Amino acid sequence: MTEVSEKRTDLPWGEITDETIAYAAELLGTQLRRDRMAGWVTEVNVDAIQHFAQGIGDRNPLWRDPEYGKGTRWGAMLAPPTILYSVDGTTVAPRLAGVQWLYAGTDWIWYDVIKRGDAFDAPAVFYKQDVKGGEFASRWLLQTGHIRYLRRSDGLMVGEAFGKCARTPRGNALKKEGKQKYKAREEYEYTADELAAIERALIEEMPRGAKPRYAEDVEIGEVLPPRVKGPLTSTDMIAWYAGWSGAGPYGGAHGDAVRYRTRHQDYHISERTGAKDSAGRGHLEKKTGEDVGMGGAYDIGPQRISWGAHMLTDWMGDDGFLHTLSATVKRPNLLGDTTTWHGTVTGKEVVDGYHLISIDMHADNQRGETNSTAKATVLLPSKADGPVVTPIPRNLTADK
């Protein structure tokens, strides 16, 4: 690890150069301050659980009904596994003032369920930085952070995440390169039949619930019931923000936001008003989304990944356990788009007495474009052994 220098103001703003790359690399291996990227939820109470579930449209009674979980093998109300995004959002994108960060994916590992009342500390380390280049920009970076979610009551690492962020030029810097990967496009015009099919799928989705899904009954090639999200609206986005982080990742609101922008020199300037604001406004505002190269207002990576986790937890039932989920966000999902997550069982094995089911996943939109891919490992009970036992002592898939 290189020696960490003091904050510098002499570096070019909004540019990726040898010097700015080296300046960011100084922080590799260091634990980062998380005053805005973490802490929306520190204690997983009823409100936090229900708000997160509502924000992703997940009706599973394990996290909607405070009494339901008491009758399951867990003996308590649970939270969706990806609620840990609201403890720390896994965005690690240090330095490079004025350079856009776009969420690229998460590699999740869970070792225990998350119960009502759990409280967490979440130290985050700048883990890795790779220099990339290609169609989107002549040079961009992939920055990876490692976040550990430590339960305060016993110190157990309930989960860990490797969050990945692409650092890319925005605005004039992007235009100067003549690069624009995702062209601006108008909202998709659905037919009445398409809308009816989407609404029917949303109304009919149902978690498996108390009926156990045994490992012996699962076949390789089995297709999971898909989960449909859309057409995406600004209301959906606000519901996600309410459960996930509020305005935290963008510096907060009013004076908090100004202080954040002053300290980090990370902002977008409105071409119309000249005022500074977070580039995160691109998630709700078409023009800013176009300016950062996404083609319009777009969803949030952890949001879309949580939709994929929703499909998995509905399928596995109350007795299942989501152990790993490695997801990559491949292209924007714009307001007006509909995302459908699909999954197929690709493997079965027993490791240390745990029955592991491997699942390949992908998400596509109404245009047939794949916007995300993922691989997951679910632990299921066995007819011979009864329910699987937690906590899990290690990553059971590490040797794959």
Side-chain angles (χ1 to χ4, degrees):
M1 185 180 70
T2 57
E3 183 177 349
V4 178
S5 66
E6 296 296 323
K7 184 175 181 179
R8 294 177 57 180
T9 59
D10 60 319
L11 295 175
W13 189 87
E15 295 184 24
I16 299 174
T17 66
D18 290 343
E19 196 171 14
T20 58
I21 291 171
Y23 182 52
E26 290 179 357
L27 292 177
L28 284 167
T30 62
Q31 185 171 323
L32 303 176
R33 184 178 60 195
R34 304 296 278 171
D35 57 338
R36 290 297 176 190
M37 294 298 175
W40 184 247
V41 170
T42 54
E43 180 178 337
V44 182
N45 58 30
V46 173
D47 290 342
I49 296 170
Q50 292 181 337
H51 293 167
F52 189 87
Q54 290 165 1
I56 59 175
D58 188 338
R59 60 187 294 201
N60 195 324
L62 276 172
W63 23 88
R64 286 294 191 109
D65 182 348
E67 300 300 317
Y68 179 87
K70 296 177 182 178
T72 69
R73 73 184 196 81
W74 311 106
M77 183 183 189
L78 300 188
T82 57
I83 199 174
L84 294 181
Y85 277 129
S86 65
V87 176
D88 184 290
T90 73
T91 296
V92 172
R95 294 185 166 171
L96 299 173
V99 174
Q100 180 70 23
W101 59 264
L102 300 172
Y103 201 83
T106 322
D107 296 333
W108 277 108
I109 310 166
W110 289 276
Y111 302 99
D112 201 357
V113 293
I114 302 158
K115 293 184 177 182
R116 173 185 177 182
D118 283 348
F120 294 95
D121 293 311
V125 171
F126 185 22
Y127 179 75
K128 190 178 181 183
Q129 176 171 279
D130 298 307
V131 180
K132 304 283 189 177
E135 182 184 0
F136 197 9
S138 58
R139 183 157 57 167
W140 59 278
L141 301 181
L142 185 66
Q143 294 180 321
T144 303
H146 179 212
I147 299 89
R148 295 179 300 135
Y149 297 87
L150 309 176
R151 191 164 56 202
R152 290 177 182 171
S153 62
D154 56 11
L156 179 74
M157 183 166 68
V158 170
E160 59 181 322
F162 294 86
K164 303 170 186 179
C165 284
R167 304 300 303 278
T168 65
R170 68 165 74 124
N172 291 332
L174 193 63
K175 293 174 184 175
K176 187 164 60 176
E177 289 194 6
K179 303 274 188 176
Q180 182 75 11
K181 186 172 183 180
Y182 301 112
K183 302 295 184 182
R185 65 186 186 189
E186 296 303 317
E187 288 190 28
Y188 183 85
E189 294 187 14
Y190 294 86
T191 67
D193 287 344
E194 287 175 323
L195 291 173
I198 291 168
E199 290 187 1
R200 185 165 56 251
L202 290 167
I203 291 171
E204 292 178 353
E205 69 182 31
M206 183 71 67
R208 183 174 181 85
K211 182 180 180 181
R213 184 179 296 280
Y214 291 109
E216 291 89 343
D217 294 333
V218 174
E219 300 291 340
I220 293 176
E222 180 176 333
V223 175
L224 278 63
R227 284 294 171 264
V228 178
K229 304 292 182 178
L232 186 66
T233 67
S234 57
T235 304
D236 298 325
M237 297 300 300
I238 292 168
W240 163 256
Y241 277 120
W244 168 54
S245 70
Y250 311 123
H254 305 295
D256 283 345
V258 173
R259 286 184 285 272
Y260 176 85
R261 291 195 295 265
T262 301
R263 183 169 68 249
H264 293 281
Q265 291 296 297
D266 182 22
Y267 49 82
H268 177 272
I269 299 177
S270 170
E271 293 182 359
R272 178 172 298 177
T273 67
K276 297 176 182 176
D277 195 357
S278 166
R281 67 193 283 173
H283 293 298
L284 295 171
E285 182 184 85
K286 184 175 186 292
K287 178 63 178 68
T288 304
E290 293 173 2
D291 189 45
V292 301
M294 302 301 279
Y298 58 104
D299 72 349
I300 295 172
Q303 176 188 29
R304 200 185 316 165
I305 294 168
S306 295
W307 297 341
H310 174 196
M311 178 183 71
L312 295 167
T313 54
D314 270 5
W315 175 78
M316 70 190 190
D318 294 350
D319 294 323
F321 179 83
L322 180 56
H323 179 39
T324 68
L325 175 59
S326 181
T328 299
V329 176
K330 301 179 72 69
R331 64 181 301 120
N333 176 46
L334 302 184
L335 291 188
D337 283 351
T338 297
T339 289
T340 302
W341 271 101
H342 308 268
T344 303
V345 175
T346 56
K348 296 173 59 175
E349 61 179 324
V350 180
V351 177
D352 293 350
Y354 296 95
H355 292 258
L356 278 65
I357 309 298
S358 299
I359 299 168
D360 280 4
M361 304 164 57
H362 73 275
D364 53 29
N365 63 22
Q366 74 283 357
R367 293 180 172 89
E369 301 163 337
T370 297
N371 64 36
S372 306
T373 57
K375 291 182 180 293
T377 306
V378 170
L379 309 186
L380 292 181
S382 165
K383 292 179 179 178
D385 303 332
V388 294
V389 178
T390 56
I392 298 165
R394 65 181 181 88
N395 179 5
L396 300 176
T397 69
D399 298 329
K400 287 187 177 182

